[in-house]
C-alpha cells in the first residue's frame, strides 16, 4: 500500500534475454544486441550471477564485427 502515488512500472526497452547452452569447451558467446559494457549485463551460469572483469568469471568486449557483443568466460560453461 502506498500513500500518494505509487511507483511507475516501466521498462526502458533495454531488457533483453539471450540463452546459451554450454558445451564444456566454448568460452566466447555473442549476445544479440550491443551493450554499453560488462556492468550493463547480468550473466548467470546455472542460476548463479557471474562477476565481470579480468581474472573473474567473464570479460566483455568486441565481437567479429567490432561491436560490444562478446562475452568471454575464463572457463567454459559445463555441458548442460
Amino acid at each position: 500500500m502506498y500513500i500518494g502515488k505509487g511507483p511507475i512500472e516501466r521498462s526502458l526497452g533495454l531488457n533483453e534475454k539471450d540463452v546459451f547452452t554450454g558445451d564444456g569447451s566454448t568460452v566466447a558467446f555473442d549476445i544479440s544486441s550491443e551493450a554499453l559494457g560488462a556492468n550493463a549485463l547480468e550473466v548467470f551460469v546455472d542460476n548463479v550471477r557471474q562477476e565481470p572483469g579480468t581474472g573473474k568469471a567473464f570479460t566483455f568486449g568486441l565481437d567479429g564485427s567490432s561491436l560490444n557483443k562478446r562475452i568471454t568466460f575464463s572457463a567454459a560453461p559445463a555441458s548442460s
Side-chain angles (χ1 to χ4, degrees), residues 27-47:
V27 295
F29 298 86
D30 291 344
I31 59 176
S32 59
S33 296
E34 190 169 19
L36 297 175
N39 292 326
L41 302 173
E42 290 189 22
V43 176
F44 293 84
V45 175
D46 291 331
N47 293 320

Side-chain angles (χ1 to χ4, degrees), residues 18-73:
D18 287 316
V19 177
F20 302 97
T21 302
D23 62 8
S25 63
T26 302
V27 295
F29 298 86
D30 291 344
I31 59 176
S32 59
S33 296
E34 190 169 19
L36 297 175
N39 292 326
L41 302 173
E42 290 189 22
V43 176
F44 293 84
V45 175
D46 291 331
N47 293 320
V48 177
R49 190 170 192 277
Q50 304 298 300
E51 188 174 6
T54 303
K56 298 184 180 176
F58 73 94
T59 56
F60 184 68
L62 302 176
D63 67 357
S65 302
S66 297
L67 297 173
N68 277 326
K69 295 173 64 173
R70 181 161 290 163
I71 295 170
T72 304
F73 289 97

